[in-house]
Amino acid sequence: METENSLVDVRFLFYKDCINEIIKDKNATILVIGGGENDKLVFQENGFTDVTISNIDERQSESEYYPYKHCFQNAENLSYKDNEFDYVAAHATLHHFSSPHRGLTEMYRVAKKGVVVIESRDSWLMRLLIKFNITPDFETAAIYDHHCKYGGVNNTCIPNYIYRWTEREVEKTIKSYAPYVRHWFSYRYGLDEPSATKRSKSFCKKIIINIFSPIYRLIVKLFPKQQNLFAFIITKPVIPDDLQPWIKIDDGVMSFNESWAAERNKAGSCKK
């Protein structure tokens, strides 16, 4: 088993590499939701110049994030206008929301070019680890690490359910939110052993974990999507180029395309 520090480095490097590969314009305007010190370091080390780091932690101050901007934002109800930032990013934060899907659609709303999210992936292997109590379903450790006052759902003292995503869930969420356009999704995967494997003080559990670790690594090598680190990237569509064929725009107003329906269904015009 690797040490806790080395595993933290793995997650940090995965995050850093994803941002560097996905966002090419170092002068792009970027909003980070649920951000912290690691987010600042990732964007600094990647050379980005215009970053706003937001969170709802009352203990944070703007000076901590210099040279970047800092603001208090409820990520499930952002105060920003549609398409206000080029990119919106989130690292290991959506699973702290009472409504992760709402957080994702808010990220999508205020992004002009794209959304980058890094979370844990839901998988049969992860569900197996939860079943055998090797990794948790609820994040109690984060509360303990924050003096039993912060770090839970919506940064309260109540442990959050660890919401893990799949590719299909990401796509259904965005297509439901913006069904009038075509979308492009891409994914990246990385290896980080589940957090409980780094923290356990139980002698018996440590033995089980040490036995299971090489098996875990073999499984994720054979089936890369079973890895714990999961980045999903949503590229925002361009209107009108990426409108669905059954949608039209007249004078800036979207409506159903009767001509498309008539041609497709061969049944004449739709009645209003």
Side-chain angles (χ1 to χ4, degrees), residues 19-28 46 48 87 188:
I19 294 298
N20 192 49
E21 291 171 11
I22 296 160
I23 307 177
K24 299 299 185 182
D25 181 5
K26 302 300 182 180
N27 296 314
N46 277 325
F48 289 91
Y87 294 91
R188 287 171 171 75

Side-chain angles (χ1 to χ4, degrees), residues 114-148:
V115 170
V116 182
V117 178
I118 297 174
E119 282 288 346
S120 178
R121 187 179 182 278
D122 190 14
S123 65
W124 63 263
L125 180 56
M126 184 58 64
R127 292 191 290 272
L128 186 67
L129 295 176
I130 293 169
K131 182 176 182 179
F132 286 96
N133 199 31
I134 294 175
T135 198
D137 234 356
F138 290 85
E139 199 163 15
T140 57
I143 310 298
Y144 184 78
D145 289 344
H146 289 85
H147 310 292
C148 300

Side-chain angles (χ1 to χ4, degrees), residues 3-15:
T3 66
E4 182 170 355
N5 287 337
S6 66
L7 286 166
V8 169
D9 289 343
V10 166
R11 180 173 286 275
F12 179 85
L13 291 174
F14 180 78
Y15 180 22

Side-chain angles (χ1 to χ4, degrees), residues 28-32 39 43 48-53 67-70:
T29 57
I30 296 167
L31 173 67
V32 179
D39 301 274
F43 284 95
F48 289 91
T49 60
D50 193 348
V51 180
T52 299
I53 298 176
Y68 298 139
K69 296 180 285 291
H70 171 262

Side-chain angles (χ1 to χ4, degrees), residues 84-123:
E84 187 159 345
F85 296 87
D86 290 326
Y87 294 91
V88 183
H91 170 249
T93 190
L94 284 184
H95 67 273
H96 285 280
F97 295 177
S98 55
S99 179
H101 297 82
R102 173 66 177 173
L104 180 58
T105 57
E106 276 291 271
M107 292 178 68
Y108 178 93
R109 180 182 66 80
V110 303
K112 181 180 180 181
K113 296 182 179 179
V115 170
V116 182
V117 178
I118 297 174
E119 282 288 346
S120 178
R121 187 179 182 278
D122 190 14
S123 65

Side-chain angles (χ1 to χ4, degrees), residues 15 19 32 44 58 90 114 126 144 153 164 177 187 221 241:
Y15 180 22
I19 294 298
V32 179
Q44 270 191 316
E58 61 191 23
M126 184 58 64
Y144 184 78
V153 62
R164 298 173 170 97
Y177 181 76
Y187 306 98
K221 186 174 183 179
D241 297 354

